[in-house]
Amino acid sequence: MNRTQTLTQLSNVPGAMRNLTCLAALAFLAGHAASAPAQPPSNADNVLVAALETVVISGSRSEQRREDLPLSVDVITAAELEEGQLVDIRDLAKGLPNVSVKRAPARFGVTGAGNPTGRDGNAGFNVRGLDGNRVLMLIDGIRLPRSYINGSNAFGRDTLSLELLKRIELVRGPSSVLYGSDALAGLVNFITLEPSDFLKASDGSSKPMGGKLSMRYAGDDQSAALAASLAYQQSDTLQWLLTGSSAHANALDNMGVNDSASVDRTRPNPQSDKAGSVLGKFVLQPQAGQKHVLTFEHVKKDSQIELLSSRTKAPFVAASVMDESATKTMQRQRLAWNANYSLDAAMADYFQTTAAVQSTTAQDNGRTLRKDMGLRIRDTSYNERAWQLGVQADKLLRINSNWVQKITYGLGLSSTDVSSFFDGSDPAPLPTYLPKKYFPDTRDSTTASFLQSEFASEQWRITPGLRWEQFDLKVLRQSGFSPPSAILGKSLSGVNVSPKLGALHTLSRQWSLFANYASGFRAPNAAQVNGFTENPTPSTFVSLLPNPDLKPETSRNLELGVRARLDSLSFDAAVFAGHFHQLIVDKKPLGGAGLAGDPLLFQTVNIDNASIDGFEIKGLMDLGSVAQGTLTMPFSYGRANGRNNSTGRPLSAIDPSKLTVGLKYKTVQWDVQLGAIRHAAKTAEELESPYLPKPINPPRIAQLTLPAATTLDLQGQWRVRKDVRVNWELANLSNRRYWLWSDVQGLAANSAVVDAYSQPGRHASISVVMDY
């Protein structure tokens, strides 16, 4: 039977579209393997099989082999999460080309001039030069909260626990056709554990109960964590899972040496973090072809920070800061129901429904004690209440003896109520502090429909798609915002249409080519449209103006790639070029002298077009057998370049190129890997301006640039027995002082506290994992 016959037969089987790609490829491989001369298996063969069998969801909204997607997708598996001891989203980005996560040190100010530095922790992903809310973050396909920054207040996007996950999928490039607004630069989908992940024995047979227990310690923040999972087969139709974790940590270490309690401090501020999470899942399969999953998730994180870096140096005045501290609390709760149905109907072979509600609350409380014993208090809250509904259908059609077509279509509704509140008090003789909202309570809702069609033959996969989406920012109430604001908040709505077209051509078992054209968009959020504040102080008068005329950001991206699965080498390479229109710049300085009657003016605005291009390569080389084990070399390299098309200058937010190379030796019982990461320099020629942006001209202050840096890490795993594993790592072996561009962008070159932004020095981590 040839591959065409296999595709033709599969098209006649109800519900087969989920397995079409995998079965066709496996049948083809099996047929060739049967007719080919027998050869001894190598480590490269194992790598090839693992790559071919990796199934992802995020690239097409249904299960599909990663090899068959005409776009770049990174998959971090449960084994990689464990062996790499990845504990937060900052760790995820460490070895990925053209990906980073900002994590500035906690050096924010509670009162005084707006300074949110480090208040948002792990702020979010930067993918191919674009960051923040331009990268959509999902958990089991449900949107995670956005980040938010205003003045000294900031809320990041690390509202999850990696202990609850079995896989992470990162799609590079616009993904708005399938997922809508915010997927302008890409998306990251965090996929949680299921009971079936623990209810299989090592020989593949089923077992009634299973689970996992893990303990870890990390030296970079002196964190310790405990996590446990228990899964149970209640009956032939019902399974359930309960997973929980608890963690404690201190501040992330750095290479600073100044331990003084003043603004000159470069050591981390004293910090105590606590985190806890619970995941519960019930999986009901009442009959063949039907599956219902009910999920409950709760994540809570608390931080207490003593801001020694805020204290004033002598000589003191009455208003000098003598002590400052902050407490941060974040919690997110999610309840979701997902149902899958295999049908034999004219309109669909496979049908899926999703319903979810999610509540996120964040609270920042700050206290400042002055020299005159006056106490200033700032309490800030940010809340999101969201629900999401979706239906999706898949239909497989046989066009002729050579081609089949898989149609995916669906509808989506979402609504998020967003609010914030700022309270506090000031000592006399300061004016009475007026509680306020920086933007009115707002409902952010969308209505969308999408259609994607995949045409598949022996050698080709062609995938066009289209999404229509209406977005609506509706002001719910003005109370708390206006007054005191003299400007009423305004609603905003619009429609966006996002097309895509992908193609993959299989040249042989070893080689394939792909091309992908995709569009993306991001609608403005409530704070960007209606954010307004006036901050008159004795030294500076500042005004942030709303902008109800903001337009959505849009993007067009073209990606060309090649995949190779050779006897001793496996790699993926891609080049990309994107054009971005109406990019939103938050709080752009518009001028002003900072005086009464002529305040410093800021406003969130659209800027002209920008372009980003670059390339990525990642893979693994098989170096053969050595003694009783195998030797392999994983590698990756990525580089991006950006340009503001209105000025012709580079985009400062682009990360320097990153090269990773490893040497891994693996035996049956243990493995060890030495890895190197090379961060290229960031020079003044790569900045949009060598100077920091200021609303008034002299004095001009140069921006910090970075030298190149190479770090070495040593890690390994000891499989004590088949159900007990010990993972360990010695990071930054040479104790190198270095910085990441994502953390220091916008820092003055003459800053006396540059070392406060440096990465941790040499440190060790260890974890123990036991299956049962």
Side-chain angles (χ1 to χ4, degrees):
M1 180 182 295
N2 60 32
R3 288 174 292 173
T4 301
Q5 292 172 323
T6 302
L7 288 168
T8 303
Q9 289 190 6
L10 282 173
S11 67
N12 295 317
V13 180
M17 64 287 176
R18 292 183 60 195
N19 302 311
L20 166 65
T21 307
C22 187
L23 291 177
L26 290 177
F28 168 72
L29 291 173
H32 277 255
S35 61
Q39 296 180 354
S42 69
N43 187 69
D45 293 328
N46 295 331
V47 171
L48 174 60
V49 171
L52 288 173
E53 293 180 347
T54 299
V55 176
V56 298
I57 298 173
S58 306
S60 62
R61 290 188 70 109
S62 60
E63 293 183 353
Q64 191 167 5
R65 293 188 323 149
R66 178 173 54 179
E67 295 291 296
D68 292 329
L69 291 171
L71 46 83
S72 294
V73 181
D74 295 289
V75 179
I76 298 107
T77 64
E80 292 169 326
L81 285 168
E82 176 191 318
E83 191 167 355
Q85 300 185 79
L86 308 181
V87 299
D88 60 25
I89 63 175
R90 181 179 62 95
D91 294 332
L92 297 178
K94 184 176 180 180
L96 297 178
N98 289 329
V99 178
S100 65
V101 170
K102 178 181 178 180
R103 169 93 177 247
R107 295 181 65 88
F108 54 88
V110 172
T111 59
N115 172 26
T117 303
R119 199 159 194 164
D120 47 356
N122 292 317
F125 287 89
N126 181 309
V127 178
R128 292 178 174 176
L130 293 176
D131 57 6
N133 296 320
R134 296 183 177 106
V135 178
L136 178 61
M137 291 174 59
L138 308 168
I139 185 160
D140 293 333
I142 305 302
R143 290 168 172 264
L144 284 166
R146 295 166 173 160
S147 62
Y148 167 73
I149 299 176
N150 201 319
S152 293
N153 304 106
F155 301 93
R157 308 193 71 187
D158 199 3
T159 57
L160 48 87
S161 171
L162 267 59
E163 281 85 359
L164 307 180
L165 306 180
K166 68 174 180 180
R167 189 169 76 250
I168 301 168
E169 299 174 359
L170 189 151
V171 179
R172 299 164 183 266
S175 302
S176 292
V177 171
L178 295 177
Y179 295 95
S181 179
D182 294 356
L184 183 83
L187 71 90
V188 186
N189 193 7
F190 300 89
I191 300 171
T192 58
L193 294 161
E194 290 203 0
S196 58
D197 297 319
F198 301 103
L199 296 179
K200 284 188 178 180
S202 57
D203 60 1
S205 62
S206 300
K207 58 182 182 179
M209 185 177 69
K212 182 173 70 173
L213 178 67
S214 65
M215 298 168 285
R216 64 166 174 82
Y217 170 82
D220 57 352
D221 59 0
Q222 298 180 18
S223 63
L226 175 67
S229 298
L230 175 64
Y232 190 73
Q233 181 79 41
Q234 190 71 38
S235 66
D236 292 340
T237 60
L238 178 63
Q239 300 174 343
W240 57 261
L241 166 72
L242 184 64
T243 294
S245 70
S246 178
H248 299 264
N250 295 320
L252 185 66
D253 200 8
N254 63 27
M255 298 287 283
V257 296
N258 189 328
D259 203 26
S260 64
S262 74
V263 293
D264 291 337
R265 181 182 182 86
T266 58
R267 292 294 299 148
N269 285 313
Q271 181 171 337
S272 176
D273 298 334
K274 296 180 181 180
S277 62
V278 176
L279 173 72
K281 276 194 179 181
F282 291 88
V283 180
L284 178 66
Q285 294 178 284
Q287 60 188 34
Q290 189 176 147
K291 180 180 178 181
H292 300 264
V293 181
L294 181 66
T295 303
F296 171 74
E297 180 194 14
H298 174 78
V299 177
K300 184 178 181 182
K301 297 185 177 183
D302 298 299
S303 296
Q304 294 184 347
I305 307 170
E306 187 178 2
L307 294 163
L308 300 181
S309 60
S310 294
R311 296 187 182 182
T312 306
K313 293 196 302 181
F316 303 115
V317 297
S320 295
V321 175
M322 307 307 294
D323 187 32
E324 195 163 63
S325 62
T327 61
K328 298 170 60 67
T329 300
M330 183 284 300
Q331 58 181 339
R332 180 177 58 84
Q333 298 179 1
R334 173 174 64 103
L335 181 64
W337 168 68
N338 182 274
N340 300 324
Y341 309 88
S342 292
L343 307 174
D344 186 10
M347 295 298 294
D349 296 322
Y350 183 75
F351 191 70
Q352 176 179 332
T353 59
T354 301
V357 291
Q358 185 169 254
S359 172
T360 306
T361 60
Q363 182 74 38
D364 275 7
N365 297 334
R367 303 291 183 268
T368 303
L369 182 65
R370 307 193 324 172
K371 176 66 175 176
D372 60 4
M373 301 308 293
L375 182 65
R376 303 184 72 179
I377 298 174
R378 294 293 185 271
D379 294 340
T380 307
S381 65
Y382 177 76
N383 303 286
E384 290 191 13
R385 303 285 189 274
W387 60 261
Q388 184 173 326
L389 299 175
V391 295
Q392 176 179 318
D394 295 299
K395 180 64 180 179
L396 189 69
L397 303 172
R398 179 165 56 94
I399 300 175
N400 54 41
S401 60
N402 296 318
W403 288 85
V404 294
Q405 179 185 13
K406 176 184 174 183
I407 302 174
T408 301
Y409 59 98
L411 301 171
L413 301 173
S414 68
S415 178
T416 304
D417 288 356
V418 185
S419 64
S420 67
F421 189 70
F422 298 79
D423 202 353
S425 64
D426 289 322
L430 293 174
T432 300
Y433 183 85
L434 295 177
K436 58 179 177 284
K437 299 179 178 180
Y438 283 153
F439 60 88
D441 296 348
T442 304
R443 176 164 295 155
D444 186 346
S445 58
T446 62
T447 302
S449 60
F450 62 90
L451 172 66
Q452 178 175 279
S453 182
E454 180 181 5
F455 299 90
S457 72
E458 246 184 282
Q459 295 180 313
W460 286 94
R461 293 185 179 276
I462 301 173
T463 312
L466 188 70
R467 183 186 186 92
W468 175 91
E469 181 161 330
Q470 180 183 30
F471 64 90
D472 185 21
L473 277 176
K474 181 180 180 181
V475 174
L476 297 177
R477 58 191 65 89
Q478 302 283 354
S479 60
F481 174 73
S482 178
S485 169
I487 302 174
L488 292 175
K490 296 183 179 180
S491 300
L492 177 69
S493 63
V495 173
N496 188 81
V497 177
S498 302
K500 67 164 287 187
L501 177 62
L504 183 139
H505 182 45
T506 302
L507 300 174
S508 67
R509 177 178 179 269
Q510 291 82 21
W511 293 93
S512 62
L513 305 173
F514 68 86
N516 188 53
Y517 169 82
S519 62
F521 93 103
R522 181 174 79 106
N525 62 40
Q528 292 172 325
V529 172
N530 287 314
F532 174 80
T533 184
E534 291 181 329
N535 184 31
T537 67
S539 58
T540 307
F541 288 75
V542 178
S543 290
L544 172 65
L545 304 177
N547 188 353
D549 297 322
L550 274 178
K551 298 177 178 60
E553 302 174 299
T554 59
S555 65
R556 300 290 184 268
N557 190 84
L558 178 63
E559 181 178 17
L560 304 175
V562 57
R563 295 188 178 111
R565 303 294 181 257
L566 310 177
D567 290 340
S568 58
L569 176 65
S570 170
F571 72 86
D572 295 60
V575 296
F576 57 89
H579 295 276
F580 304 88
H581 305 270
Q582 302 292 350
L583 284 177
I584 297 174
V585 177
D586 289 305
K587 304 174 183 66
K588 180 175 180 162
L590 302 181
L595 305 173
D598 188 18
L600 298 177
L601 295 178
F602 296 86
Q603 188 180 43
T604 298
V605 299
N606 294 104
I607 65 170
D608 290 332
N609 304 337
S611 300
I612 298 176
D613 59 71
F615 66 91
E616 295 147 358
I617 183 169
K618 53 197 173 189
L620 184 138
M621 181 177 292
D622 178 19
L623 301 178
S625 299
V626 178
Q628 300 300 312
T630 58
L631 194 63
T632 57
M633 185 178 73
F635 60 89
S636 70
Y637 181 65
R639 181 172 182 174
N641 304 285
R643 182 178 67 256
N644 184 333
N645 292 334
S646 63
T647 64
R649 295 291 301 168
L651 294 178
S652 299
I654 303 293
D655 285 317
S657 62
K658 180 167 58 176
L659 169 70
T660 68
V661 180
L663 195 61
K664 184 172 184 177
Y665 182 71
K666 184 172 184 177
T667 69
V668 174
Q669 193 170 14
W670 57 270
D671 57 60
V672 63
Q673 175 173 311
L674 177 65
I677 302 179
R678 173 72 173 180
H679 297 276
K682 188 71 173 183
T683 65
E685 290 74 21
E686 298 172 300
L687 303 178
E688 188 159 5
S689 170
Y691 302 100
L692 293 176
K694 291 185 69 67
I696 51 179
N697 282 326
R700 305 183 79 184
I701 301 175
Q703 290 198 57
L704 179 71
T705 56
L706 291 182
T710 302
T711 60
L712 298 174
D713 301 323
L714 186 67
Q715 67 179 36
Q717 184 182 78
W718 174 33
R719 293 170 281 280
V720 182
R721 57 189 198 193
K722 64 181 180 180
D723 57 350
V724 177
R725 300 172 297 280
V726 178
N727 306 286
W728 57 271
E729 181 180 29
L730 294 174
N732 196 359
L733 288 175
S734 61
N735 207 32
R736 177 70 183 267
R737 178 183 279 106
Y738 72 105
W739 297 261
L740 298 180
W741 178 245
S742 58
D743 298 351
V744 303
Q745 182 186 340
L747 190 64
N750 62 357
S751 172
V753 294
V754 171
D755 284 349
Y757 294 77
S758 59
Q759 293 298 297
R762 185 187 303 113
H763 61 276
S765 301
I766 188 169
S767 67
V768 180
V769 182
M770 180 179 69
D771 300 322
Y772 56 88

